[in-house]
Amino acid sequence: MQTKTSDDYICLRNWIEDNISGDDKILYGVSALEYLQLFTGYVGESTIEVYSLFQGKSKNVIYKLVDSFEQIDFEKCGNLLCSTVNQAINDLLEDENADELVLTEALSNYYYSHNESVARLKIKPSNMEKFSHYMSWAIRYFDM
């Protein structure tokens, strides 16, 4: 089974809300940053990333299986669960295949919407080198 694609919606948030709801999945990675409106997303987006306790049936949902949600920092947003900004950014920094555009745009949007500061972000020590690298791009992102 395939969920609807984002082309059927005016905004990504509505698309995600319509396809992912309940307390058995948590948005993560790119999908969390899209939902938190730190990344604008891609035209024709069709994939949603979630942490899940079980493998679901939707072909275009990437289920990152976990034993429990205890180690995941998330919040309830209406009728769905979403990784926090800290969790989503740390998850992408730990992912060797993370999209550089997503990280750069999300960090830039965070930086400029928080008075040119990232002081409230809690970056894991193991991610600091990579974080610094992307922050140097993020600060100049809108100048490019």
Side-chain angles (χ1 to χ4, degrees):
M1 165 178 87
Q2 171 119 351
T3 67
K4 299 174 188 174
T5 66
S6 65
D7 289 341
D8 298 325
Y9 294 84
I10 293 173
C11 75
L12 284 174
R13 279 190 91 147
N14 291 347
W15 168 62
I16 291 170
E17 288 169 348
D18 200 28
N19 287 288
I20 302 295
S21 63
D23 293 338
D24 59 344
K25 297 175 282 307
I26 300 172
L27 290 173
Y28 90 94
V30 175
S31 296
L33 293 173
E34 288 170 338
Y35 191 78
L36 295 168
Q37 298 181 322
L38 290 173
F39 175 61
T40 55
Y42 296 109
V43 174
E45 184 78 66
S46 63
T47 303
I48 301 172
E49 300 171 318
V50 297
Y51 284 113
S52 182
L53 302 174
F54 60 91
Q55 180 65 42
K57 296 179 182 177
S58 296
K59 292 179 184 174
N60 62 318
V61 175
I62 297 171
Y63 298 91
K64 184 171 184 170
L65 300 179
V66 294
D67 294 328
S68 78
F69 293 154
E70 289 179 23
Q71 301 300 315
I72 301 168
D73 191 16
F74 65 93
E75 50 198 35
K76 186 150 179 103
C77 301
N79 197 28
L80 59 81
L81 303 176
C82 183
S83 298
T84 63
V85 172
N86 286 315
Q87 180 74 48
I89 288 175
N90 275 295
D91 285 347
L92 286 175
L93 289 169
E94 291 170 354
D95 183 351
E96 292 299 319
N97 298 312
D99 188 324
E100 292 180 336
L101 173 63
V102 174
L103 271 166
T104 304
E105 184 177 315
L107 288 170
S108 183
N109 283 326
Y110 184 93
Y111 177 77
Y112 286 107
S113 67
H114 287 84
N115 234 7
E116 297 185 9
S117 173
V118 291
R120 288 197 260 162
L121 282 179
K122 294 179 181 121
I123 304 301
K124 294 177 183 177
S126 58
N127 291 333
M128 283 306 292
E129 184 177 337
K130 208 169 179 182
F131 172 74
S132 296
H133 172 77
Y134 285 108
M135 275 311 302
S136 68
W137 292 359
I139 290 169
R140 297 186 325 263
Y141 182 70
F142 290 108
D143 294 336
M144 298 178 188

